[in-house]
Amino acid sequence: MAIVNLNEIKTRVYNIFTKAGLTAEDAQIITDILTDAQMKGLYTHGYVRVKKYVDCIKAGGIAPEGNPEIITDTPSWASLDGKGGLGIIIAYKAAKLAIEKAKATGVGIVNIRGSHHLGAVGYYAAMCADEGMFSMAMSNGDAMLAATGSRQSNIGNNPFAYAVPAGKYDKILYDVAISLGSDMKIIQMQEEGRPVPDGWMIDKNGKPSNTPSDYLAGGVLLPFGGYKGYGLALMVETFAAVLSGAAMTHNVHAWNKTPGACGDVGHFIMALDISRMGDPEAYAKRVESLIDEIKASELAERAAQISYPGDK
């Protein structure tokens, strides 16, 4: 295994983005967020994205300027137009705005339209939790999942995250997309000659399949938990796209499929200042007690430990 210098890689990534037209500040933001995903083992949301983002910038689908426009603004809630910029930059600035509003009023909500793929959505929820906030962050995307009872793609693999401060446990951080397995993992299985696990997908005729090439030939992903996952995907679509005025389902342009078109993806970020409802230290003790109780439960056969979402 080759050993590489992380700082050298970060410098290279930063330089790539500045040469692509990003400001020094925005290039640093996206470098830090991609590095965070890479170092957490979220490789599908790490450095592998650099070339594809730059390809979209070159093709004209993504604007390198990272200055979202405020459409509506109230003390607690704002709506932004991302103006076709990089979703990571837009979501980062939106999370900062949600935190600012929550500190001022107790509640901060920001809707975004005109954006693109925002990377690992949990990053923005974690930003809020690190400031003493309860947070939810979510995004819609191009249609690639079949709603329960359907044999075609009709809703996005819409990622959803929540995060809360957790005292000595740092934070609870739950970050999921809605499919049982991702399309990138299926592509990897195709390259490695491995079958797709049961329940991940159907082929173009609506039949369950374990063959990766069936997905690449028009297959569709399935939501986790059946109708329960589908319901969560629909919730995200309403919060992230309907409220913001972003494109929905098949009207979303996939950044990695149509690099020359603005994705018009929608996001939703909410921060709630826990201190407005009580003593943060007392709250932290209650969360610690909750996690302690769960982790102390009797282990299932062959289980080494009980973890919580975001457990390091």
Side-chain angles (χ1 to χ4, degrees), residues 228-278:
K228 295 182 179 181
Y230 160 51
L232 184 57
L234 192 59
M235 181 205 76
V236 174
E237 195 78 24
T238 58
F239 274 60
V242 176
L243 275 175
S244 67
M248 297 183 290
T249 63
H250 289 287
N251 291 316
V252 177
H253 293 289
W255 63 279
N256 57 346
K257 297 176 183 176
T258 53
C262 174
D264 196 14
V265 175
H267 314 314
F268 175 92
I269 298 173
M270 180 180 73
L272 305 177
D273 186 353
I274 292 168
S275 69
R276 296 301 183 104
M277 297 300 293

Side-chain angles (χ1 to χ4, degrees), residues 136-140 145 148 155-162 174-179 223-240:
M136 292 196 301
M138 58 194 81
S139 176
N140 76 324
L145 262 67
T148 303
I155 198 162
N157 193 11
N158 300 340
F160 165 81
Y162 74 82
Y174 180 77
D175 179 359
V176 295
I178 308 302
S179 65
F224 69 77
Y227 67 89
K228 295 182 179 181
Y230 160 51
L232 184 57
L234 192 59
M235 181 205 76
V236 174
E237 195 78 24
T238 58
F239 274 60

Side-chain angles (χ1 to χ4, degrees), residues 16 40 61 84 91 99 135 137-138 143 152 169 184 186 213 221 229 284:
I16 287 170
K40 288 177 178 174
I99 292 168
S135 176
M138 58 194 81
Q152 69 179 61
Y169 291 110
M184 292 194 72
I186 292 176
S213 59
L221 296 176

Side-chain angles (χ1 to χ4, degrees), residues 17-294:
F17 282 116
T18 56
K19 290 179 180 178
L22 274 67
T23 65
E25 178 186 359
D26 288 351
Q28 191 62 61
I29 290 170
I30 194 169
T31 298
D32 289 344
I33 293 176
L34 292 178
T35 300
D36 181 80
Q38 190 77 20
M39 297 305 292
K40 288 177 178 174
L42 303 174
Y43 305 125
T44 57
H45 291 74
Y47 294 143
V48 70
R49 301 290 185 178
V50 174
K51 182 180 185 302
K52 293 184 178 181
Y53 287 146
V54 173
D55 286 346
C56 288
I57 292 173
K58 287 182 175 180
I62 291 179
E65 302 85 4
N67 299 310
E69 177 185 353
I70 295 178
I71 305 301
T72 58
D73 193 19
T74 73
S76 294
W77 200 333
S79 178
L80 308 181
D81 187 338
K83 311 297 287 186
L86 280 158
I88 286 178
I89 304 299
I90 295 165
Y92 176 87
K93 294 179 179 180
K96 286 285 191 182
L97 180 58
I99 292 168
E100 177 185 322
K101 288 183 177 295
K103 287 182 176 180
T105 70
V107 178
I109 299 173
V110 181
N111 275 109
I112 306 100
R113 68 182 188 225
S115 187
H116 283 89
H117 184 266
L118 80 173
V121 70
Y123 187 93
Y124 314 103
M127 285 174 61
C128 301
D130 288 340
E131 294 289 336
M133 311 282 176
F134 168 86
S135 176
M136 292 196 301
M138 58 194 81
S139 176
N140 76 324
D142 59 302
M144 55 192 308
L145 262 67
T148 303
S150 173
R151 54 182 279 183
Q152 69 179 61
S153 61
N154 44 32
I155 198 162
N157 193 11
N158 300 340
F160 165 81
Y162 74 82
V164 297
K168 68 181 181 181
Y169 291 110
D170 186 29
K171 67 178 74 71
I172 297 173
L173 174 59
Y174 180 77
D175 179 359
V176 295
I178 308 302
S179 65
L180 194 57
S182 73
D183 57 342
M184 292 194 72
K185 289 182 179 178
I186 292 176
I187 292 171
Q188 184 178 3
M189 292 170 187
Q190 166 82 350
E191 294 172 349
E192 297 175 355
R194 295 188 291 121
V196 177
D198 291 341
W200 279 34
M201 55 166 280
I202 53 178
D203 64 20
K204 64 181 180 181
N205 297 312
K207 304 294 185 183
S209 175
N210 302 98
T211 306
S213 59
D214 284 346
Y215 176 75
L216 302 175
V220 184
L221 296 176
L222 296 175
F224 69 77
Y227 67 89
K228 295 182 179 181
Y230 160 51
L232 184 57
L234 192 59
M235 181 205 76
V236 174
E237 195 78 24
T238 58
F239 274 60
V242 176
L243 275 175
S244 67
M248 297 183 290
T249 63
H250 289 287
N251 291 316
V252 177
H253 293 289
W255 63 279
N256 57 346
K257 297 176 183 176
T258 53
C262 174
D264 196 14
V265 175
H267 314 314
F268 175 92
I269 298 173
M270 180 180 73
L272 305 177
D273 186 353
I274 292 168
S275 69
R276 296 301 183 104
M277 297 300 293
D279 177 17
E281 291 187 7
Y283 159 84
K285 293 297 183 184
R286 285 175 57 81
V287 178
E288 289 171 1
S289 176
L290 171 64
I291 296 175
D292 285 341
E293 180 180 348
I294 292 173

